[in-house]
Every structure is written in structure tokens, then in C-alpha cells.
Amino acid sequence: MTPDRLTLNGLTVRRGERVLFRDLSSDLAAGQALALTGANGAGKTTLLRVIAGLVRPEAGSVGFGETAPEAARAHGLHLMGHLDGLKGARRAGDELAFQARFLGGSPATVAAAVERLGLEPLLALEVRKLSAGQRRRLAFARLLAAPRPVWLLDEPFAPLDAVWRARIGAVMAEHLAGGGLVVAAVHDPLPVAALTLDLQPLDLGGLA
């Protein structure tokens, strides 16, 4: 069973001596996007990591509809952070094929992702030789090559130019239209209809 809902139930998260947010709740159904907004340090990145199971909340819980959290996190979501999670010494094509295979993709889904994101001219290049925008497109290709319903994205459009922001926005819209869910930490508006959760820091200092 794949997750078709994402529910945040009264989350309180502390980082060291600092409480990032307290009693935070939200409910997201299949086909919906949630934009996490707020100043640096408000906890946007940390909240994505809580949803992914990488940070334990002090109180509250994260639910995935009828899917157990362990199963949802293992097989039902992608987390794309500030760093693209790509091995710089590998050729782009080899890196995408490796990650897609590890995440359950296939040669057919890899080929479709390459075509959709215009990556064919880049496949023979080492990842470290790609621009920031090209690396981000390669990271997005991983999401398409190994489809999962929940996308957790940290500033997904930051390194992209206007053309590729629009094209990736279309990819995101198709993901939502197919019943996917998106939670994205952003400073600029998402190019799709989205609910907004504005995180306000409870005290000053530190980064989320």
C-alpha cells in the first residue's frame, strides 16, 4: 500500500536547547502540494527531515494515511535536499542508472526520465563537471526514474533558470495530477497550486 495522505499531528521539534516549532499540524491529501515558508532558521529543512524519519520529534507524529510510517518512508517517498546526493566522480548516466536501480526503477523509466529532462547530452560527463542547474535536473530525474508518491523537496528550484523552472513545474503538476504529494521548503512561490505552512521561529539564531 502506498501513502495517499500526509498528516502532521502536533509536532514539536527541538534542536539542542532551541525549540524550532511547537504543536505544528497539517493535513495533505493525494494530489496536493504544501509550501513550507518562513525565514532561515524557522525549521523548514528540519521539518522535511522529520517527515522523512531522519529527525525524531519531541512530541507529535507523522502519518501516511493507511500506510505504516516505516513502509511509507522506505518505499513511498523521495527526499531531495540542498545537496543533490550525487556522486561527483561518476558519469551522470551511470549515477542515474545506479540510483534508479537502487530505488526500484528500471532501464525504461530511466530512459523516459532522461528524455523528459533533456539529459542525453550530459550522460557521458562526470557529475562534478555539471553546472548546479544540470545537477538539479539529474536529481529530479531520479524522482521520475523511480516513481514514489511523496516528494520532499528543499529549495527545489533554486539553481534552475527560468526555462527549467517552468519545465520542472510542469513535471511537478503531472505528479500531483497523478495523485502524488509534494512538500517543498521554498522562499519563492511554487509554480503549482499549493497550501502554505508558514513557520515562524520561536527564538533567534541558528539555521534549520
Side-chain angles (χ1 to χ4, degrees):
M1 183 178 294
T2 58
D4 59 1
R5 197 165 201 93
L6 174 62
T7 305
L8 312 181
N9 301 296
L11 290 174
T12 296
V13 172
R14 182 185 299 274
R15 189 170 184 180
E17 297 300 315
R18 179 183 173 218
V19 176
L20 291 176
F21 43 82
R22 194 188 312 275
D23 197 27
L24 185 149
S25 296
S26 187
D27 190 35
L28 200 64
Q32 290 186 309
L34 178 65
L36 305 180
T37 63
N40 290 337
K44 301 185 297 296
T45 296
T46 300
L47 180 54
L48 293 176
R49 292 172 62 82
V50 169
I51 296 170
L54 302 176
V55 173
R56 184 185 299 273
E58 184 174 88
S61 62
V62 178
F64 297 90
E66 298 298 318
T67 306
E70 296 80 5
R73 286 164 172 153
H75 305 291
L77 65 78
H78 283 296
L79 172 63
M80 189 170 73
H82 281 300
L83 301 178
D84 294 314
L86 302 168
K87 190 173 180 63
R90 279 202 184 111
R91 291 185 300 175
D94 294 337
E95 178 66 359
L96 177 58
F98 170 80
Q99 293 210 16
R101 184 169 60 251
F102 179 79
L103 294 169
S106 68
T109 58
V110 169
V114 167
E115 181 177 3
R116 184 65 193 276
L117 296 178
L119 294 173
E120 184 65 37
L122 308 178
L123 296 183
L125 299 177
E126 292 179 348
V127 170
R128 62 189 172 193
K129 295 181 180 178
L130 303 182
S131 70
Q134 290 169 338
R135 290 196 300 272
R136 185 52 54 96
R137 284 159 53 197
L138 186 63
F140 262 108
R142 176 180 56 207
L143 275 60
L144 300 181
R148 294 183 173 190
V150 181
W151 290 2
L152 307 177
L153 311 175
D154 199 350
E155 293 295 339
F157 297 98
L160 298 173
D161 61 27
V163 170
W164 278 106
R165 286 187 181 209
R167 292 181 182 178
I168 295 295
V171 169
M172 187 178 293
E174 290 179 10
H175 177 67
L176 295 171
L181 299 94
V182 172
V183 182
V186 295
H187 287 293
D188 300 316
L190 284 173
V192 295
L195 306 173
T196 299
L197 183 58
D198 189 36
L199 302 182
Q200 296 296 327
L202 299 183
D203 52 43
L204 300 176
L207 295 176

